[in-house]
Amino acid sequence: MLHLGFQATVTGVVYPALAEVDDGRWPRAHDAHSRRITRLVAPVYVLLAGACLWVLIAGPHDTLLLVAVAGAAVSGVTTMAVAAPTHGRLGRGRTSSAVRRLLIADAVRLVGAVVCAGCALAWFVG
């Protein structure tokens, strides 16, 4: 649930605000965003990875739990393979294609977080 709450906040509040920043204020705004968000991303993803590892090691290997782990993996891989490099690109200057790529990656991460939390919750209450 921590991951879903974090991701929903990024998708619904943080990235829309960042996307509205004009070109003149972009370097400062993006730099500030990158410094601040890293303090949250790292602990959330470390905890998420730890929980997924625990599920895989401890079992049971229930379908809902495995799908939850897959949802978390989608979010994590999308962060590492798309969002992080795109932020690197945006740190060198804003382009509409890079902002669009970041927003698409973010939507994929939100879907992964919803799948992860939904399946974990369904397993827990079921």
Side-chain angles (χ1 to χ4, degrees), residues 43-71:
V44 168
Y45 274 98
V46 165
L47 290 170
L48 183 63
C52 289
L53 186 61
W54 176 75
V55 165
L56 294 174
I57 291 171
H61 292 119
D62 182 272
T63 301
L64 281 172
L65 291 179
L66 293 176
V67 174
V69 169

Side-chain angles (χ1 to χ4, degrees), residues 95-120:
T95 65
S96 59
S97 63
V99 171
R100 191 170 33 258
R101 181 176 171 87
L102 186 63
L103 294 175
I104 291 168
D106 191 61
V108 170
R109 294 187 301 187
L110 180 61
V111 169
V114 167
V115 168
C116 179
C119 288

